[in-house]
Amino acid sequence: MKTERRNSFAPVLLGLMAAMLLIQMIQNGTFTRNPELGYALLLVGMVLAAMLFSRRKQQRELAGSAAYLAKSEIPSTRFKDVAANDEALEALRDLVSFIREPENYAVLGARIPRGVLLYGMPGTGKTLMAKALAGEAGVPFFAVNGADFVEMYVGVGASRVRSLFHKARKCGKAVIFFDEIDAIGKKRDNRSDEREQTLNALLSEMSGFGERDGVVVLAATNRVDTLDEALLRAGRFDRQIEVPLPGVAERLQILNVHAGRIRLSDAVSLDALARQTALFSGARLECLLNEAAILAAKRGSDQVEEQDVQRAMERSLFGAEKHGLSRHEHERHITAAHEAGHAVATAVLLPESELTRVSIIPTSRGAAGYSMALPPEKMFHEKQELQCHIAVALAGREAERMLLGADRVSTGASNDIEKAALIARRMVCEWGMLPGSDDIYLFSQQQKDMAAQQWLKQGQQLASQVLAEHHAVWTALTQRLLEKETVDGEEVRRIMQ
Ligand code: ADP
Ligand code: ZN
């Protein structure tokens, strides 16, 4: 809006000067002596006025439409350009045939989710996949950024949303991609009127799809837990897919995709590079290879050698990490020990749960790693089993204590402690289960707190006992995690034996 005012300032000034000149000329009679001069001046003034008006109109139109926000074209990107990210790709594959022939689904009464939310750290390929979906389906791709819909003027964002969807519908079939959807769809704590209206416009556009429209909406965010629930409800973004940071194997796949574009010496081992690049996103891997290629070109070499890759790697590490490699390695080690602790405790104490995966790859929910187990399906839990759950939750912290000593445990266990405390409290308050043999019902808060506290203490002791007894397994699993980053349940069981 500011630029508009500056742009129209010059014509206004010129027009004013011309008018003043004209008046003066009429007064002193120049106009009657040389009429051509007068007409010429009049003409110039009219042209300037016309220019001014047309620019105003253009700007007003632009402000209300998404025309200048969304570039729409059919992308040349395909699924084969995306490495790893298998789960997300699988879901998107399902959508391709829906976009192409929505009628087939409508006839059967099948309801396909048209809103897919991709969540994960920056650079994990969310935009790339959305583009590839449009490319595969052969339909126009409208990419917009959530931040472009948040304006100072109430109603502008909402009208942009409406005209964006209008444009997409006019194409018949299309993929709309909202990057950084959280800019519009944050939880409703202190959202402005403008944001509220924009979100409502988006929600109503999404519910307004006809069954036969082959339009799907993809959105991306780094944090799913900050989004308004209204966005995640059925009929909106009811399919949510995590796009995790790549593990070693996935990094190799991504490197392979991008290595195809540069001239790489046979001496360079992408395998080794994949192992060196823990926690790198796809975007960062691509950037790394590109940087290596630039360095090789600067050297005057005709192919990218190991030395270029290593120099690019150094730059990348120093550019991105404040505390350098050793600090980073240290944190990785703590995370590995912590997660291995949870996993070993699960395997020993809760044999009925099926341990599926342990990992030291951070999640987009803010955890440094995770240990995943499928609990058995049942209605009732026994007291002894619940105690084991507490121990499993606390085993991460106990593992850190074993590794580094009590004074150096990290903040990585806050969720665990919350979880353990919740179980302990429910045992005491809801289920009347007390540590020791006689269960009685407690009424005073102080008594309840004491009992829950005791459950936690016992759980902690149990966890540290299990880790001490299975020390060798815990160490082996920690090492394995440092090498591979993600270890599946099968392998954990093999290590346990
Ligand atoms: P996001 O949208 O998740 O922030 P982008 O899709 O913009 O990430 O990724 C930026 C670039 O990084 C992509 O254009 C691509 O070159 C590269 N990239 C990221 N993830 C992958 C992947 N899984 N496979 C191949 N390339 C990737
Ligand atoms: Zn933990």
Side-chain angles (χ1 to χ4, degrees), residues 42-238:
L42 209 66
L43 201 71
V44 168
M46 274 161 69
V47 167
L48 282 176
M51 267 167 61
L52 192 72
F53 270 114
S54 80
R55 183 178 295 149
R56 271 273 164 80
K57 188 149 171 275
Q58 224 175 4
Q59 297 244 342
R60 221 176 300 130
E61 270 169 10
L62 277 180
S65 85
Y68 74 111
L69 295 171
K71 291 177 278 167
S72 84
E73 51 195 36
I74 302 177
S76 58
T77 315
R78 294 288 182 272
F79 285 149
K80 68 166 171 41
D81 299 317
V82 187
N85 298 3
D86 292 336
E87 195 199 339
L89 281 178
E90 210 38 57
L92 297 185
R93 266 197 196 99
D94 293 345
L95 283 175
V96 172
S97 65
F98 167 73
I99 298 173
R100 286 208 190 121
E101 285 148 343
E103 310 83 28
N104 295 354
Y105 291 80
V107 165
L108 290 172
R111 205 184 58 80
I112 286 276
R114 1 175 126 251
V116 179
L117 180 74
L118 302 169
Y119 66 95
M121 307 233 174
T124 44
K126 299 180 292 295
T127 312
L128 182 70
M129 287 190 290
K131 219 180 199 173
L133 172 63
E136 290 283 342
V139 301
F141 179 61
F142 293 86
V144 292
N145 191 301
D148 293 336
F149 290 81
V150 183
E151 290 283 327
M152 283 180 300
Y153 302 98
V154 176
V156 173
S159 101
R160 280 183 187 166
V161 168
R162 280 190 291 268
S163 74
L164 170 66
F165 277 81
H166 179 72
K167 259 184 87 180
R169 277 210 192 86
K170 266 212 315 230
C171 297
K173 298 157 191 273
V175 172
I176 302 178
F177 178 66
F178 273 89
D179 204 358
E180 300 183 36
I181 186 81
D182 35 309
I184 306 176
K186 255 192 237 124
K187 289 210 168 88
R188 303 189 190 229
D189 31 17
N190 48 11
R191 203 168 40 219
S192 62
D193 269 1
E194 160 61 5
R195 214 196 287 265
E196 193 80 31
Q197 284 197 14
T198 309
L199 177 62
N200 287 339
L202 175 62
L203 294 178
S204 79
E205 288 297 332
M206 288 189 71
S207 350
F209 279 128
E211 287 190 332
R212 281 156 210 272
D213 294 335
V215 179
V216 297
V217 187
L218 264 54
T221 180
N222 300 338
R223 298 291 304 261
V224 70
D225 47 346
T226 59
L227 288 182
D228 195 316
E229 270 91 39
L231 264 175
L232 309 178
R233 248 177 252 143
R236 281 102 182 231
F237 294 101
D238 45 5

Side-chain angles (χ1 to χ4, degrees), residues 459-490:
Q460 186 185 8
Q461 278 163 358
L462 183 57
S464 91
Q465 189 189 326
V466 166
L467 290 181
E469 270 168 30
H470 297 83
H471 193 273
V473 177
W474 168 67
T475 315
L477 183 55
T478 304
Q479 276 313 317
R480 199 77 188 116
L481 277 171
L482 284 171
E483 286 159 25
K484 273 186 65 182
E485 289 169 19
T486 299
V487 176
D488 62 21
E490 203 49 51

Side-chain angles (χ1 to χ4, degrees), residues 230-419:
L231 264 175
L232 309 178
R233 248 177 252 143
R236 281 102 182 231
F237 294 101
D238 45 5
R239 177 119 198 216
Q240 292 132 39
I241 304 171
E242 175 161 22
V243 187
L245 278 176
V248 184
E250 289 81 22
R251 287 200 296 273
L252 181 58
Q253 292 167 12
I254 296 172
L255 285 170
N256 271 320
V257 164
H258 293 289
R261 278 200 274 273
I262 61 175
R263 259 230 214 112
L264 204 61
S265 151
D266 290 338
V268 175
S269 158
L270 290 182
D271 208 36
L273 191 57
R275 265 180 273 118
Q276 274 180 58
T277 42
L279 304 188
F280 273 50
S281 67
R284 220 170 140 200
L285 290 171
E286 188 208 354
C287 191
L288 177 68
L289 285 183
N290 190 47
E291 179 87 19
I294 293 173
L295 288 172
K298 274 194 194 154
R299 258 189 332 114
S301 166
D302 61 348
Q303 56 181 359
V304 180
E305 299 286 350
E306 182 67 27
Q307 61 176 59
D308 306 311
V309 174
Q310 286 313 319
R311 272 182 63 206
M313 181 76 192
E314 276 161 31
R315 287 192 180 188
S316 180
L317 284 178
F318 283 112
E321 266 152 62
K322 283 173 238 98
H323 27 247
L325 198 58
S326 64
R327 176 83 205 141
H328 173 73
E329 269 309 307
H330 177 67
E331 279 177 7
R332 243 166 72 83
H333 198 168
I334 294 177
T335 308
H338 180 112
E339 298 306 333
H342 284 306
V344 170
T346 307
V348 173
L349 296 172
L350 300 170
E352 276 185 73
S353 308
E354 190 197 338
L355 191 67
T356 51
R357 205 189 301 162
V358 197
S359 174
I360 56 168
I361 297 175
T363 69
S364 50
R365 291 178 196 268
Y370 57 91
S371 158
M372 248 176 16
L374 299 174
E377 278 186 42
K378 57 184 183 184
M379 295 276 286
F380 300 115
H381 295 277
E382 289 164 15
K383 180 170 161 183
Q384 192 237 341
E385 180 204 341
L386 288 165
Q387 189 187 11
C388 290
H389 275 285
I390 296 179
V392 166
L394 296 177
R397 166 59 70 89
E398 285 313 297
E400 287 184 37
R401 194 197 301 277
M402 278 172 66
L403 184 72
L404 302 165
D407 292 340
R408 297 188 55 202
V409 294
S410 76
T411 53
S414 69
N415 260 334
D416 298 341
I417 293 168
E418 215 172 282
K419 199 157 103 193

